[in-house]
Amino acid sequence: MSIKPIETDQVVDIVFEFVQDPDPVFRWYALESLAKFSTFSEITRAKLGERLLPIVKARKDEDLSPREFALLAKFPSEKTARFLTEQLMRDGEEIRISTLRYAAFRALKEMGAPYYDNAIKEVHTNGAPGIRRRILLWEKSLEELSLIHI
């Protein structure tokens, strides 16, 4: 008897079921598992992003996770960038909102130039002054960190 390897698509389907689970612990493990997958074709990457974004968008604010934003960055698209830009521009000074705002900033930064640049233009055009200042501080901090690692 031989053991057949499990197809990656089947594993991803199973993990996506857990991403939608109401239990935050199961969701966290599922998100961590998805983040460990590294070799997706461009077509598969686009499909996974289209599948993940509605799941994340449907979450109540108190159930959103910075890990979800980081995972969205692995599947860049215009729709994902718009969602993350909206999260970046959220009003509020509560720690939870600030954390999600920073997670959106980092995700957009990871997505790369066209997505990040468009998001920053949107923030500078329509964002609150406090959010614009915070983004400038985050950018400066990232630049300083990159200089330290050189």
Side-chain angles (χ1 to χ4, degrees), residues 7-148:
E7 294 292 324
T8 303
D9 292 343
Q10 290 174 317
V11 173
V12 170
D13 287 341
I14 292 166
V15 173
F16 260 94
E17 290 300 317
F18 285 105
V19 168
Q20 298 175 69
D21 198 280
D23 186 334
V25 174
F26 285 140
R27 283 197 315 261
W28 184 84
Y29 279 113
L31 293 167
E32 287 299 310
S33 297
L34 276 176
K36 297 210 185 301
F37 283 90
S38 59
T39 55
F40 291 120
S41 69
E42 286 298 317
I43 293 169
T44 303
R45 188 180 312 257
K47 286 180 185 176
L48 291 175
E50 287 174 11
R51 203 167 155 192
L52 181 61
L53 183 60
I55 293 169
V56 175
K57 285 175 87 172
R59 293 224 195 286
K60 295 177 185 169
D61 283 350
E62 61 271 7
D63 292 332
L64 283 172
S65 145
R67 188 69 181 119
E68 290 170 320
F69 292 2
L71 189 58
L72 282 171
K74 292 184 177 287
F75 310 110
S77 72
E78 287 298 323
K79 289 179 184 177
T80 299
R82 274 194 300 277
F83 171 74
L84 291 170
T85 302
E86 290 168 7
Q87 297 302 311
L88 184 60
M89 293 176 46
R90 288 178 67 168
D91 286 330
E93 295 303 319
E94 299 88 32
I95 299 230
R96 177 143 188 74
I97 290 174
S98 295
T99 302
L100 291 173
R101 192 181 301 130
Y102 182 71
F105 165 79
R106 289 300 301 254
L108 285 161
K109 195 82 165 159
E110 185 179 324
M111 286 171 62
Y115 302 110
Y116 178 75
D117 293 344
N118 290 337
I120 295 307
K121 285 178 191 172
E122 178 70 21
V123 169
H124 285 295
T125 303
N126 300 314
I131 294 170
R132 291 194 302 256
R133 280 191 303 274
R134 194 163 290 118
I135 288 173
L136 290 173
L137 288 172
W138 291 336
E139 286 176 344
K140 183 179 178 187
S141 295
L142 287 178
E143 286 175 19
E144 290 172 358
L145 280 176
S146 67
L147 290 175
I148 291 172

